[in-house]
Amino acid sequence: MFDLTGKCAVVVGGTSGLGKAIALGLAAAGADVVASSRSQEMVDSVADTLEASGRRTLRLLSDVTDRNSLQELHDRVKPVFGKIDILVNSAGITKRIPTLDCPEDLWNRIMNVNLSGTLRTCQVFGKSMLEQKHGRIINVASLSTFVAFQDVAAYGASKAAVGALTRSLAIEWATQGVCVNAIAPGIFPTDLNRALLDSPRGRELLLRTPMNRFGNVDEVAGAAIFLASDESAYLTGEIIAVDGGYLASGVNQ
């Protein structure tokens, strides 16, 4: 069970943080994986790790704000591997700022990357999956898909919309062999948020997490492997929280 041998996965935003952990997890389960982002250095680094593990990969850049780059990514991967079975959308940005002070260009930038970028990627790769009558799309949502966090309204709105997009695509494509689900990660220390987690905000997040610890990035890979596998064939339109119990919690002290 959960064997991805012979599958081809593309992880957009797959060269750092949770995206990288998911890419490496899919590879460990047997998939050939193309981890793509805007940084050639980071793409090469992850590709080195994938190749060292015996998996096939390609060293390709992509930018979710540029539809042509996503189409090129698709068009260069498919002829090499013959098909694309799995797509993971992990590219995302955020900025902490009071909503009244958030300029419209910043709001639009966050929406463009997190929401419209996910849409573009789903459209480009989803078309191919629909033609082959099989595919697994895994979007990366957030706890803020469900609850609000102080001073990140643009990010929260974008991730709530990613949840809605996930469900909409799921029902549109459910009869055509393509399952569309999402993972909502809890709090996972990465290079981007490590300083935040040492602050009072981080301590509050920890207090609200029943497991009384933050996640290890590798702990999100299991959910991705399940959603990418044949064992999830009857599961679509779901958002799985990997959060140490955060969303389930009321008072936990």
Side-chain angles (χ1 to χ4, degrees), residues 9-251:
V10 174
V11 184
V12 178
T15 62
S16 64
L18 297 179
K20 179 180 177 180
I22 290 171
L24 297 180
L26 296 176
D32 294 319
V33 179
V34 176
S36 182
S37 70
R38 296 184 299 168
S39 166
Q40 189 68 62
E41 180 181 1
M42 296 174 77
V43 165
D44 288 338
S45 176
V46 176
D48 287 343
T49 303
L50 291 168
E51 290 172 347
S53 71
R55 302 295 172 234
R56 299 165 65 205
T57 190
L58 295 172
R59 299 164 185 256
L60 301 175
L61 300 181
S62 64
D63 180 350
V64 297
T65 68
D66 181 354
R67 182 179 295 272
N68 290 334
S69 85
L70 296 169
Q71 189 66 57
E72 182 178 0
L73 174 64
H74 170 276
D75 293 348
R76 293 181 66 182
V77 171
K78 189 171 182 180
V80 174
F81 296 94
K83 59 179 179 172
I84 299 168
D85 303 284
I86 303 155
L87 169 68
V88 180
N89 282 308
S90 186
I93 60 172
T94 189
K95 172 73 173 180
R96 188 176 184 190
I97 185 172
T99 305
L100 285 180
D101 299 330
C102 182
E104 193 167 332
D105 61 344
L106 174 60
W107 177 279
N108 290 338
R109 180 169 174 256
I110 291 172
M111 289 292 176
N112 192 25
V113 172
N114 297 357
L115 175 58
S116 299
T118 298
L119 171 65
R120 292 183 193 101
T121 312
C122 287
Q123 287 176 325
V124 168
F125 287 84
K127 180 180 179 181
S128 180
M129 290 178 173
L130 291 169
E131 290 171 353
Q132 68 194 21
K133 302 296 184 183
H134 175 78
R136 299 287 186 269
I137 295 177
I138 305 167
N139 295 324
V140 176
S142 167
L143 296 181
S144 61
T145 302
F146 303 98
V147 296
F149 291 82
Q150 185 80 15
D151 294 339
V152 286
Y155 179 81
S158 72
K159 289 298 188 177
V162 165
L165 175 63
T166 297
R167 289 185 286 267
S168 293
L169 293 179
I171 65 167
E172 288 186 34
W173 298 348
T175 62
Q176 300 172 74
V178 179
C179 297
V180 187
N181 294 289
I183 295 171
I187 312 303
F188 291 83
T190 66
D191 291 341
L192 294 178
N193 69 6
R194 212 170 297 276
L196 169 67
L197 298 184
D198 289 333
S199 71
R201 187 181 181 97
R203 289 189 287 275
E204 180 181 354
L205 291 169
L206 185 61
L207 181 67
R208 291 172 179 263
T209 302
M211 285 191 180
N212 196 36
R213 66 176 179 87
F214 297 131
N216 183 306
V217 292
D218 295 335
E219 293 176 316
V220 79
I225 292 167
F226 167 64
L227 292 175
S229 72
D230 292 339
E231 281 68 38
S232 66
Y234 198 55
L235 192 155
T236 196
E238 293 298 322
I239 305 171
I240 298 178
V242 184
D243 66 351
Y246 186 100
L247 291 176
S249 175
V251 176

